[in-house]
Amino acid sequence: KIYFHSSLDTASEQFCTALPGCDGLPASWNKINTVTTFPVAKETILKITCDTGYLLSGSNHVTCDQYTSYKYSSEPTCAEIGKYFYNTISNITISQDNNII
């Protein structure tokens, strides 16, 4: 809670509850990092990255909603670079004359 003291009436106190902000990234966001220091206020925009050796897919900026809930256009995920390229390459078909189809 945030307490405000009125300068007009020193006998009274006014109480205002702050909107909940964010106190960390979701536990399910493995390998995702931010340089932002928590806690942050609601509507704060955070830039996110992946651990070294991982590739970010989805949004690279997320907006704090509350606690560990964020708004984004596409949920961010991190994939190990070797696995990402293997999965991409495994979906490509090569013809007999070495053309990608």
Side-chain angles (χ1 to χ4, degrees), residues 15-60:
F15 298 94
C16 176
T17 303
L19 293 173
C22 293
D23 53 11
L25 295 175
S28 62
W29 286 6
N30 297 318
K31 309 297 181 186
I32 295 179
N33 303 297
T34 183
V35 295
T36 303
T37 303
F38 292 100
V40 297
K42 186 177 177 95
E43 301 300 322
T44 299
I45 298 172
L46 288 72
K47 180 179 181 185
I48 56 172
T49 59
C50 291
D51 287 350
T52 302
Y54 289 80
L55 186 64
L56 180 66
S57 178
S59 298
N60 64 350

Side-chain angles (χ1 to χ4, degrees), residues 3-100:
Y3 297 93
F4 292 97
H5 296 279
S6 171
S7 59
L8 300 175
D9 181 2
T10 57
S12 69
E13 281 190 34
Q14 297 174 338
F15 298 94
C16 176
T17 303
L19 293 173
C22 293
D23 53 11
L25 295 175
S28 62
W29 286 6
N30 297 318
K31 309 297 181 186
I32 295 179
N33 303 297
T34 183
V35 295
T36 303
T37 303
F38 292 100
V40 297
K42 186 177 177 95
E43 301 300 322
T44 299
I45 298 172
L46 288 72
K47 180 179 181 185
I48 56 172
T49 59
C50 291
D51 287 350
T52 302
Y54 289 80
L55 186 64
L56 180 66
S57 178
S59 298
N60 64 350
H61 287 84
V62 295
T63 304
C64 167
D65 189 20
Q66 62 182 6
Y67 308 113
T68 57
S69 177
Y70 290 86
K71 296 182 273 185
Y72 40 79
S73 57
S74 177
E75 184 168 17
T77 58
C78 293
E80 195 170 2
I81 289 176
K83 289 182 181 179
Y84 174 81
F85 287 114
Y86 174 78
N87 290 338
T88 302
I89 291 170
S90 67
N91 292 323
I92 296 174
T93 305
I94 308 290
S95 68
Q96 288 182 338
D97 54 352
N98 292 326
N99 292 319
I100 296 174

